[in-house]
Amino acid sequence: MPQSSFKLKVLAGLLLAFAGSASATTYTNVPSGANANLPFAYFGNAANPSGDSPMVGQVFALTLDSLLSSFNFYAVGNTSATFQLNVAQWNPSTNAQNQAVNTVGSNLLPSTFTAVDTYNSTGNYTTISFDNLGLNLNANTKYIAYLTSSDSTVTGVQLSRTQTAQDVSGFGLGHAYLSTIPGQGWQLPFNGNGFLSLQYTAVTAVVPEPETYAMLFAGLALVGAAVKRRNAV
C-alpha cells in the first residue's frame, strides 16, 4: 500500500473514531412537535397579570459528561418577545431535586444567547431556539435551563408544558419558576400525577474520554512523523 494512502486511512480512521465518540443525542418530550393545547407556565417581567414569573425554566440531569449544543422551548401562539437563556446548577449546595426553598447557581454560559423565535401557524406555537451553546455539563449533576428577558414590558407569555409521571426522554426533571412571593424562592411544581415539565428539545454530545484525545494526538504524531521521513528521502 502506498505510504500516502496508508497515512490518509490512518488519519481518517482516527477522525471517525473521534467524531463517533462525540455523536449528538436529541432529548425531547414533544417528539411529534409542540402541543399548544397543554397547560401553560406564565413568563413575565411586568407586575401583572398575577402569576407571571420573571424566570421560568426546565430542571434536567445527564448520565454522562456532555456538551450542550442547543435548547428549545415552546410558547403558545405567536410571540416576538426577546428571551435570553441561562443555564445554572440547580440547588448547588445539595444537588437535591426539590426542597422547601430551591436555589440556582450563577449562569454558566460564557456569553449572552438571545433566542430566535419561529412561529408555527399550523400548530399555533412559537419555537424559542438557542443554538451553538458549547457548554460542558457534568454527569449526575442537576441543572436548570431558564428564560429571562431584558425587555421589562414582556408579560403574559404562555410557555407550553406537559405533565408526566416520568420523563421518557431521560433528560428532564421538571418545570421550575422563580416565585415573586418573598421567601418562596424557586418552585418545582408537583401534583399527584407527576412533575410538570416545560416542553423542550435539547441536543447534547458526549464529551470524549481523555483516552480518545490521546489516541487522536498519537495518530496525528504518527502521520506527521511519516510525512517528515518521506520529505527527508
mmCIF file of all heavy atoms in Angstrom, residues 182-229:
data_model
loop_
_atom_site.group_PDB
_atom_site.id
_atom_site.type_symbol
_atom_site.label_atom_id
_atom_site.label_comp_id
_atom_site.label_asym_id
_atom_site.label_seq_id
_atom_site.Cartn_x
_atom_site.Cartn_y
_atom_site.Cartn_z
ATOM 1 N N PRO A 182 -42.086 36.767 48.404
ATOM 2 C CA PRO A 182 -40.863 36.733 49.222
ATOM 3 C C PRO A 182 -40.753 35.455 50.062
ATOM 4 O O PRO A 182 -41.733 34.996 50.648
ATOM 5 C CB PRO A 182 -41.018 37.973 50.122
ATOM 6 C CG PRO A 182 -41.901 38.890 49.347
ATOM 7 C CD PRO A 182 -42.863 37.996 48.625
ATOM 8 N N GLY A 183 -39.545 34.888 50.056
ATOM 9 C CA GLY A 183 -39.275 33.712 50.873
ATOM 10 C C GLY A 183 -39.550 32.384 50.201
ATOM 11 O O GLY A 183 -39.168 31.337 50.726
ATOM 12 N N GLN A 184 -40.208 32.392 49.052
ATOM 13 C CA GLN A 184 -40.551 31.122 48.401
ATOM 14 C C GLN A 184 -39.450 30.621 47.469
ATOM 15 O O GLN A 184 -39.362 29.436 47.221
ATOM 16 C CB GLN A 184 -41.877 31.248 47.645
ATOM 17 C CG GLN A 184 -43.079 31.271 48.552
ATOM 18 C CD GLN A 184 -44.359 30.930 47.822
ATOM 19 O OE1 GLN A 184 -44.369 30.760 46.595
ATOM 20 N NE2 GLN A 184 -45.441 30.841 48.557
ATOM 21 N N GLY A 185 -38.654 31.533 46.921
ATOM 22 C CA GLY A 185 -37.568 31.113 46.038
ATOM 23 C C GLY A 185 -38.057 30.387 44.796
ATOM 24 O O GLY A 185 -39.149 30.627 44.297
ATOM 25 N N TRP A 186 -37.216 29.487 44.322
ATOM 26 C CA TRP A 186 -37.556 28.711 43.126
ATOM 27 C C TRP A 186 -38.520 27.580 43.482
ATOM 28 O O TRP A 186 -38.303 26.865 44.454
ATOM 29 C CB TRP A 186 -36.302 28.131 42.489
ATOM 30 C CG TRP A 186 -35.526 29.109 41.677
ATOM 31 C CD1 TRP A 186 -34.547 29.952 42.117
ATOM 32 C CD2 TRP A 186 -35.669 29.350 40.275
ATOM 33 N NE1 TRP A 186 -34.062 30.701 41.068
ATOM 34 C CE2 TRP A 186 -34.729 30.357 39.931
ATOM 35 C CE3 TRP A 186 -36.482 28.824 39.274
ATOM 36 C CZ2 TRP A 186 -34.586 30.838 38.629
ATOM 37 C CZ3 TRP A 186 -36.343 29.299 37.977
ATOM 38 C CH2 TRP A 186 -35.411 30.293 37.662
ATOM 39 N N GLN A 187 -39.543 27.422 42.676
ATOM 40 C CA GLN A 187 -40.542 26.380 42.887
ATOM 41 C C GLN A 187 -40.454 25.336 41.769
ATOM 42 O O GLN A 187 -40.233 25.681 40.606
ATOM 43 C CB GLN A 187 -41.948 26.983 42.899
ATOM 44 C CG GLN A 187 -42.152 28.037 43.985
ATOM 45 C CD GLN A 187 -42.082 27.438 45.375
ATOM 46 O OE1 GLN A 187 -42.814 26.531 45.726
ATOM 47 N NE2 GLN A 187 -41.168 27.961 46.187
ATOM 48 N N LEU A 188 -40.603 24.072 42.146
ATOM 49 C CA LEU A 188 -40.643 22.988 41.173
ATOM 50 C C LEU A 188 -41.982 22.272 41.376
ATOM 51 O O LEU A 188 -42.115 21.403 42.239
ATOM 52 C CB LEU A 188 -39.459 22.035 41.381
ATOM 53 C CG LEU A 188 -39.070 21.142 40.208
ATOM 54 C CD1 LEU A 188 -37.614 20.715 40.326
ATOM 55 C CD2 LEU A 188 -39.950 19.913 40.105
ATOM 56 N N PRO A 189 -43.021 22.656 40.604
ATOM 57 C CA PRO A 189 -44.379 22.178 40.857
ATOM 58 C C PRO A 189 -44.505 20.661 40.741
ATOM 59 O O PRO A 189 -43.892 20.025 39.879
ATOM 60 C CB PRO A 189 -45.214 22.871 39.780
ATOM 61 C CG PRO A 189 -44.399 24.040 39.370
ATOM 62 C CD PRO A 189 -42.984 23.602 39.489
ATOM 63 N N PHE A 190 -45.313 20.099 41.614
ATOM 64 C CA PHE A 190 -45.589 18.667 41.600
ATOM 65 C C PHE A 190 -47.017 18.465 42.078
ATOM 66 O O PHE A 190 -47.486 19.148 42.981
ATOM 67 C CB PHE A 190 -44.621 17.919 42.523
ATOM 68 C CG PHE A 190 -44.847 16.433 42.567
ATOM 69 C CD1 PHE A 190 -44.320 15.616 41.578
ATOM 70 C CD2 PHE A 190 -45.589 15.843 43.587
ATOM 71 C CE1 PHE A 190 -44.535 14.247 41.600
ATOM 72 C CE2 PHE A 190 -45.806 14.481 43.609
ATOM 73 C CZ PHE A 190 -45.282 13.670 42.621
ATOM 74 N N ASN A 191 -47.699 17.532 41.416
ATOM 75 C CA ASN A 191 -49.014 17.149 41.937
ATOM 76 C C ASN A 191 -49.084 15.623 41.990
ATOM 77 O O ASN A 191 -48.084 14.937 41.780
ATOM 78 C CB ASN A 191 -50.145 17.739 41.072
ATOM 79 C CG ASN A 191 -50.087 17.267 39.636
ATOM 80 O OD1 ASN A 191 -49.551 16.208 39.344
ATOM 81 N ND2 ASN A 191 -50.640 18.052 38.729
ATOM 82 N N GLY A 192 -50.239 15.086 42.266
ATOM 83 C CA GLY A 192 -50.360 13.644 42.471
ATOM 84 C C GLY A 192 -50.026 12.812 41.250
ATOM 85 O O GLY A 192 -49.770 11.614 41.371
ATOM 86 N N ASN A 193 -50.028 13.417 40.064
ATOM 87 C CA ASN A 193 -49.793 12.643 38.841
ATOM 88 C C ASN A 193 -48.359 12.761 38.326
ATOM 89 O O ASN A 193 -47.965 12.032 37.422
ATOM 90 C CB ASN A 193 -50.753 13.104 37.742
ATOM 91 C CG ASN A 193 -52.191 12.797 38.090
ATOM 92 O OD1 ASN A 193 -52.495 11.725 38.590
ATOM 93 N ND2 ASN A 193 -53.074 13.757 37.864
ATOM 94 N N GLY A 194 -47.602 13.671 38.870
ATOM 95 C CA GLY A 194 -46.221 13.764 38.407
ATOM 96 C C GLY A 194 -45.751 15.193 38.276
ATOM 97 O O GLY A 194 -46.465 16.149 38.581
ATOM 98 N N PHE A 195 -44.516 15.325 37.829
ATOM 99 C CA PHE A 195 -43.927 16.646 37.644
ATOM 100 C C PHE A 195 -44.432 17.302 36.370
ATOM 101 O O PHE A 195 -44.726 16.634 35.380
ATOM 102 C CB PHE A 195 -42.404 16.543 37.603
ATOM 103 C CG PHE A 195 -41.774 16.385 38.953
ATOM 104 C CD1 PHE A 195 -41.419 15.141 39.425
ATOM 105 C CD2 PHE A 195 -41.556 17.488 39.763
ATOM 106 C CE1 PHE A 195 -40.852 14.988 40.672
ATOM 107 C CE2 PHE A 195 -40.983 17.356 41.008
ATOM 108 C CZ PHE A 195 -40.637 16.094 41.471
ATOM 109 N N LEU A 196 -44.517 18.610 36.425
ATOM 110 C CA LEU A 196 -44.867 19.387 35.254
ATOM 111 C C LEU A 196 -43.580 19.859 34.592
ATOM 112 O O LEU A 196 -42.800 20.596 35.192
ATOM 113 C CB LEU A 196 -45.729 20.587 35.647
ATOM 114 C CG LEU A 196 -47.098 20.243 36.254
ATOM 115 C CD1 LEU A 196 -47.745 21.486 36.838
ATOM 116 C CD2 LEU A 196 -48.003 19.611 35.216
ATOM 117 N N SER A 197 -43.327 19.428 33.375
ATOM 118 C CA SER A 197 -42.134 19.829 32.627
ATOM 119 C C SER A 197 -42.524 20.787 31.516
ATOM 120 O O SER A 197 -43.583 20.635 30.891
ATOM 121 C CB SER A 197 -41.436 18.611 32.012
ATOM 122 O OG SER A 197 -40.691 17.904 32.968
ATOM 123 N N LEU A 198 -41.676 21.777 31.281
ATOM 124 C CA LEU A 198 -41.851 22.567 30.072
ATOM 125 C C LEU A 198 -41.622 21.667 28.867
ATOM 126 O O LEU A 198 -40.872 20.694 28.936
ATOM 127 C CB LEU A 198 -40.857 23.724 30.032
ATOM 128 C CG LEU A 198 -41.068 24.868 31.024
ATOM 129 C CD1 LEU A 198 -40.024 25.946 30.803
ATOM 130 C CD2 LEU A 198 -42.465 25.457 30.916
ATOM 131 N N GLN A 199 -42.265 21.986 27.769
ATOM 132 C CA GLN A 199 -41.963 21.269 26.537
ATOM 133 C C GLN A 199 -40.611 21.782 26.036
ATOM 134 O O GLN A 199 -40.376 22.981 25.974
ATOM 135 C CB GLN A 199 -43.064 21.502 25.502
ATOM 136 C CG GLN A 199 -44.389 20.895 25.941
ATOM 137 C CD GLN A 199 -45.471 21.011 24.888
ATOM 138 O OE1 GLN A 199 -45.311 21.668 23.862
ATOM 139 N NE2 GLN A 199 -46.598 20.381 25.142
ATOM 140 N N TYR A 200 -39.734 20.856 25.697
ATOM 141 C CA TYR A 200 -38.375 21.245 25.335
ATOM 142 C C TYR A 200 -37.800 20.285 24.307
ATOM 143 O O TYR A 200 -38.266 19.152 24.124
ATOM 144 C CB TYR A 200 -37.453 21.233 26.576
ATOM 145 C CG TYR A 200 -37.326 19.860 27.203
ATOM 146 C CD1 TYR A 200 -36.480 18.897 26.666
ATOM 147 C CD2 TYR A 200 -38.087 19.505 28.302
ATOM 148 C CE1 TYR A 200 -36.399 17.628 27.206
ATOM 149 C CE2 TYR A 200 -38.016 18.251 28.854
ATOM 150 C CZ TYR A 200 -37.171 17.310 28.308
ATOM 151 O OH TYR A 200 -37.100 16.048 28.836
ATOM 152 N N THR A 201 -36.754 20.737 23.648
ATOM 153 C CA THR A 201 -35.886 19.896 22.830
ATOM 154 C C THR A 201 -34.458 20.352 23.096
ATOM 155 O O THR A 201 -34.153 21.537 22.993
ATOM 156 C CB THR A 201 -36.204 20.027 21.330
ATOM 157 O OG1 THR A 201 -37.542 19.611 21.094
ATOM 158 C CG2 THR A 201 -35.256 19.158 20.495
ATOM 159 N N ALA A 202 -33.605 19.416 23.480
ATOM 160 C CA ALA A 202 -32.206 19.735 23.779
ATOM 161 C C ALA A 202 -31.307 18.780 23.019
ATOM 162 O O ALA A 202 -31.638 17.603 22.857
ATOM 163 C CB ALA A 202 -31.933 19.639 25.276
ATOM 164 N N VAL A 203 -30.180 19.282 22.546
ATOM 165 C CA VAL A 203 -29.208 18.454 21.820
ATOM 166 C C VAL A 203 -27.891 18.496 22.571
ATOM 167 O O VAL A 203 -27.384 19.571 22.918
ATOM 168 C CB VAL A 203 -29.013 18.951 20.370
ATOM 169 C CG1 VAL A 203 -27.963 18.105 19.651
ATOM 170 C CG2 VAL A 203 -30.331 18.908 19.614
ATOM 171 N N THR A 204 -27.341 17.307 22.840
ATOM 172 C CA THR A 204 -26.062 17.200 23.530
ATOM 173 C C THR A 204 -25.140 16.274 22.747
ATOM 174 O O THR A 204 -25.570 15.515 21.884
ATOM 175 C CB THR A 204 -26.227 16.631 24.950
ATOM 176 O OG1 THR A 204 -26.607 15.242 24.858
ATOM 177 C CG2 THR A 204 -27.281 17.394 25.734
ATOM 178 N N ALA A 205 -23.856 16.330 23.087
ATOM 179 C CA ALA A 205 -22.866 15.384 22.563
ATOM 180 C C ALA A 205 -22.033 14.912 23.740
ATOM 181 O O ALA A 205 -21.681 15.710 24.624
ATOM 182 C CB ALA A 205 -21.980 16.030 21.513
ATOM 183 N N VAL A 206 -21.746 13.628 23.788
ATOM 184 C CA VAL A 206 -20.930 13.086 24.866
ATOM 185 C C VAL A 206 -19.515 13.636 24.750
ATOM 186 O O VAL A 206 -18.930 13.644 23.665
ATOM 187 C CB VAL A 206 -20.923 11.550 24.823
ATOM 188 C CG1 VAL A 206 -19.980 10.984 25.877
ATOM 189 C CG2 VAL A 206 -22.326 11.008 25.036
ATOM 190 N N VAL A 207 -18.967 14.110 25.854
ATOM 191 C CA VAL A 207 -17.598 14.620 25.857
ATOM 192 C C VAL A 207 -16.637 13.445 25.714
ATOM 193 O O VAL A 207 -16.721 12.487 26.483
ATOM 194 C CB VAL A 207 -17.305 15.386 27.162
ATOM 195 C CG1 VAL A 207 -15.854 15.843 27.212
ATOM 196 C CG2 VAL A 207 -18.240 16.579 27.285
ATOM 197 N N PRO A 208 -15.728 13.465 24.732
ATOM 198 C CA PRO A 208 -14.812 12.334 24.540
ATOM 199 C C PRO A 208 -13.952 12.087 25.775
ATOM 200 O O PRO A 208 -13.558 13.020 26.470
ATOM 201 C CB PRO A 208 -13.948 12.781 23.347
ATOM 202 C CG PRO A 208 -14.777 13.796 22.639
ATOM 203 C CD PRO A 208 -15.560 14.502 23.710
ATOM 204 N N GLU A 209 -13.673 10.807 26.042
ATOM 205 C CA GLU A 209 -12.790 10.442 27.145
ATOM 206 C C GLU A 209 -11.360 10.900 26.835
ATOM 207 O O GLU A 209 -10.977 11.047 25.677
ATOM 208 C CB GLU A 209 -12.803 8.918 27.342
ATOM 209 C CG GLU A 209 -14.160 8.357 27.750
ATOM 210 C CD GLU A 209 -14.540 8.753 29.160
ATOM 211 O OE1 GLU A 209 -13.631 9.081 29.954
ATOM 212 O OE2 GLU A 209 -15.750 8.754 29.471
ATOM 213 N N PRO A 210 -10.529 11.134 27.871
ATOM 214 C CA PRO A 210 -9.132 11.529 27.636
ATOM 215 C C PRO A 210 -8.379 10.551 26.747
ATOM 216 O O PRO A 210 -7.512 10.945 25.960
ATOM 217 C CB PRO A 210 -8.544 11.564 29.055
ATOM 218 C CG PRO A 210 -9.706 11.840 29.947
ATOM 219 C CD PRO A 210 -10.875 11.131 29.298
ATOM 220 N N GLU A 211 -8.742 9.244 26.848
ATOM 221 C CA GLU A 211 -8.073 8.249 26.020
ATOM 222 C C GLU A 211 -8.326 8.493 24.544
ATOM 223 O O GLU A 211 -7.478 8.207 23.689
ATOM 224 C CB GLU A 211 -8.539 6.840 26.398
ATOM 225 C CG GLU A 211 -8.117 6.386 27.790
ATOM 226 C CD GLU A 211 -9.037 6.913 28.881
ATOM 227 O OE1 GLU A 211 -9.977 7.662 28.556
ATOM 228 O OE2 GLU A 211 -8.804 6.586 30.062
ATOM 229 N N THR A 212 -9.515 9.039 24.231
ATOM 230 C CA THR A 212 -9.843 9.316 22.830
ATOM 231 C C THR A 212 -8.952 10.422 22.291
ATOM 232 O O THR A 212 -8.435 10.345 21.170
ATOM 233 C CB THR A 212 -11.318 9.715 22.703
ATOM 234 O OG1 THR A 212 -12.131 8.696 23.282
ATOM 235 C CG2 THR A 212 -11.703 9.898 21.239
ATOM 236 N N TYR A 213 -8.765 11.480 23.080
ATOM 237 C CA TYR A 213 -7.864 12.557 22.675
ATOM 238 C C TYR A 213 -6.438 12.038 22.516
ATOM 239 O O TYR A 213 -5.735 12.404 21.572
ATOM 240 C CB TYR A 213 -7.889 13.683 23.709
ATOM 241 C CG TYR A 213 -9.121 14.551 23.668
ATOM 242 C CD1 TYR A 213 -10.081 14.466 24.675
ATOM 243 C CD2 TYR A 213 -9.325 15.466 22.638
ATOM 244 C CE1 TYR A 213 -11.211 15.271 24.645
ATOM 245 C CE2 TYR A 213 -10.441 16.272 22.601
ATOM 246 C CZ TYR A 213 -11.382 16.167 23.618
ATOM 247 O OH TYR A 213 -12.494 16.973 23.579
ATOM 248 N N ALA A 214 -6.020 11.192 23.459
ATOM 249 C CA ALA A 214 -4.660 10.653 23.403
ATOM 250 C C ALA A 214 -4.461 9.853 22.118
ATOM 251 O O ALA A 214 -3.417 9.952 21.468
ATOM 252 C CB ALA A 214 -4.386 9.785 24.622
ATOM 253 N N MET A 215 -5.473 9.049 21.751
ATOM 254 C CA MET A 215 -5.370 8.256 20.535
ATOM 255 C C MET A 215 -5.296 9.152 19.302
ATOM 256 O O MET A 215 -4.517 8.905 18.383
ATOM 257 C CB MET A 215 -6.571 7.308 20.422
ATOM 258 C CG MET A 215 -6.511 6.390 19.208
ATOM 259 S SD MET A 215 -7.888 5.208 19.177
ATOM 260 C CE MET A 215 -9.269 6.313 18.913
ATOM 261 N N LEU A 216 -6.107 10.219 19.296
ATOM 262 C CA LEU A 216 -6.098 11.132 18.163
ATOM 263 C C LEU A 216 -4.741 11.814 18.019
ATOM 264 O O LEU A 216 -4.161 11.860 16.933
ATOM 265 C CB LEU A 216 -7.196 12.184 18.338
ATOM 266 C CG LEU A 216 -7.255 13.274 17.246
ATOM 267 C CD1 LEU A 216 -7.606 12.674 15.901
ATOM 268 C CD2 LEU A 216 -8.250 14.356 17.630
ATOM 269 N N PHE A 217 -4.206 12.333 19.124
ATOM 270 C CA PHE A 217 -2.924 13.034 19.066
ATOM 271 C C PHE A 217 -1.784 12.090 18.695
ATOM 272 O O PHE A 217 -0.875 12.458 17.948
ATOM 273 C CB PHE A 217 -2.638 13.714 20.401
ATOM 274 C CG PHE A 217 -3.585 14.831 20.723
ATOM 275 C CD1 PHE A 217 -4.015 15.056 22.020
ATOM 276 C CD2 PHE A 217 -4.069 15.663 19.716
ATOM 277 C CE1 PHE A 217 -4.903 16.081 22.305
ATOM 278 C CE2 PHE A 217 -4.943 16.690 19.999
ATOM 279 C CZ PHE A 217 -5.365 16.899 21.290
ATOM 280 N N ALA A 218 -1.846 10.854 19.208
ATOM 281 C CA ALA A 218 -0.812 9.881 18.857
ATOM 282 C C ALA A 218 -0.868 9.561 17.371
ATOM 283 O O ALA A 218 0.166 9.440 16.704
ATOM 284 C CB ALA A 218 -0.990 8.615 19.687
ATOM 285 N N GLY A 219 -2.080 9.436 16.846
ATOM 286 C CA GLY A 219 -2.229 9.161 15.423
ATOM 287 C C GLY A 219 -1.727 10.306 14.566
ATOM 288 O O GLY A 219 -1.059 10.106 13.552
ATOM 289 N N LEU A 220 -2.036 11.539 14.979
ATOM 290 C CA LEU A 220 -1.558 12.691 14.227
ATOM 291 C C LEU A 220 -0.031 12.776 14.270
ATOM 292 O O LEU A 220 0.609 13.130 13.273
ATOM 293 C CB LEU A 220 -2.173 13.973 14.805
ATOM 294 C CG LEU A 220 -3.688 14.146 14.612
ATOM 295 C CD1 LEU A 220 -4.182 15.376 15.356
ATOM 296 C CD2 LEU A 220 -4.051 14.241 13.138
ATOM 297 N N ALA A 221 0.545 12.444 15.440
ATOM 298 C CA ALA A 221 2.008 12.441 15.546
ATOM 299 C C ALA A 221 2.614 11.389 14.628
ATOM 300 O O ALA A 221 3.651 11.618 13.989
ATOM 301 C CB ALA A 221 2.428 12.185 16.989
ATOM 302 N N LEU A 222 1.968 10.227 14.541
ATOM 303 C CA LEU A 222 2.438 9.160 13.668
ATOM 304 C C LEU A 222 2.418 9.588 12.210
ATOM 305 O O LEU A 222 3.383 9.383 11.467
ATOM 306 C CB LEU A 222 1.567 7.907 13.864
ATOM 307 C CG LEU A 222 1.875 6.703 12.976
ATOM 308 C CD1 LEU A 222 3.267 6.161 13.284
ATOM 309 C CD2 LEU A 222 0.834 5.620 13.165
ATOM 310 N N VAL A 223 1.317 10.222 11.802
ATOM 311 C CA VAL A 223 1.211 10.694 10.426
ATOM 312 C C VAL A 223 2.256 11.776 10.159
ATOM 313 O O VAL A 223 2.909 11.800 9.109
ATOM 314 C CB VAL A 223 -0.210 11.230 10.150
ATOM 315 C CG1 VAL A 223 -0.268 11.913 8.789
ATOM 316 C CG2 VAL A 223 -1.228 10.103 10.223
ATOM 317 N N GLY A 224 2.443 12.682 11.137
ATOM 318 C CA GLY A 224 3.431 13.737 10.975
ATOM 319 C C GLY A 224 4.837 13.186 10.827
ATOM 320 O O GLY A 224 5.628 13.656 10.003
ATOM 321 N N ALA A 225 5.147 12.156 11.625
ATOM 322 C CA ALA A 225 6.478 11.538 11.544
ATOM 323 C C ALA A 225 6.681 10.875 10.187
ATOM 324 O O ALA A 225 7.767 10.940 9.595
ATOM 325 C CB ALA A 225 6.641 10.518 12.663
ATOM 326 N N ALA A 226 5.611 10.234 9.678
ATOM 327 C CA ALA A 226 5.720 9.574 8.375
ATOM 328 C C ALA A 226 5.962 10.600 7.279
ATOM 329 O O ALA A 226 6.755 10.377 6.358
ATOM 330 C CB ALA A 226 4.451 8.774 8.103
ATOM 331 N N VAL A 227 5.266 11.739 7.378
ATOM 332 C CA VAL A 227 5.459 12.796 6.380
ATOM 333 C C VAL A 227 6.879 13.344 6.451
ATOM 334 O O VAL A 227 7.538 13.574 5.432
ATOM 335 C CB VAL A 227 4.431 13.930 6.606
ATOM 336 C CG1 VAL A 227 4.776 15.134 5.725
ATOM 337 C CG2 VAL A 227 3.029 13.436 6.314
ATOM 338 N N LYS A 228 7.401 13.506 7.669
ATOM 339 C CA LYS A 228 8.752 14.012 7.840
ATOM 340 C C LYS A 228 9.788 13.070 7.240
ATOM 341 O O LYS A 228 10.734 13.505 6.576
ATOM 342 C CB LYS A 228 9.026 14.239 9.331
ATOM 343 C CG LYS A 228 10.373 14.888 9.608
ATOM 344 C CD LYS A 228 10.533 15.163 11.101
ATOM 345 C CE LYS A 228 11.872 15.832 11.381
ATOM 346 N NZ LYS A 228 12.050 16.120 12.824
ATOM 347 N N ARG A 229 9.590 11.758 7.482
ATOM 348 C CA ARG A 229 10.524 10.770 6.905
ATOM 349 C C ARG A 229 10.467 10.797 5.397
ATOM 350 O O ARG A 229 11.504 10.704 4.721
ATOM 351 C CB ARG A 229 10.169 9.370 7.427
ATOM 352 C CG ARG A 229 10.588 9.110 8.874
ATOM 353 C CD ARG A 229 10.588 7.627 9.169
ATOM 354 N NE ARG A 229 9.309 7.009 8.907
ATOM 355 C CZ ARG A 229 8.331 6.918 9.815
ATOM 356 N NH1 ARG A 229 8.530 7.425 11.030
ATOM 357 N NH2 ARG A 229 7.199 6.352 9.512
#
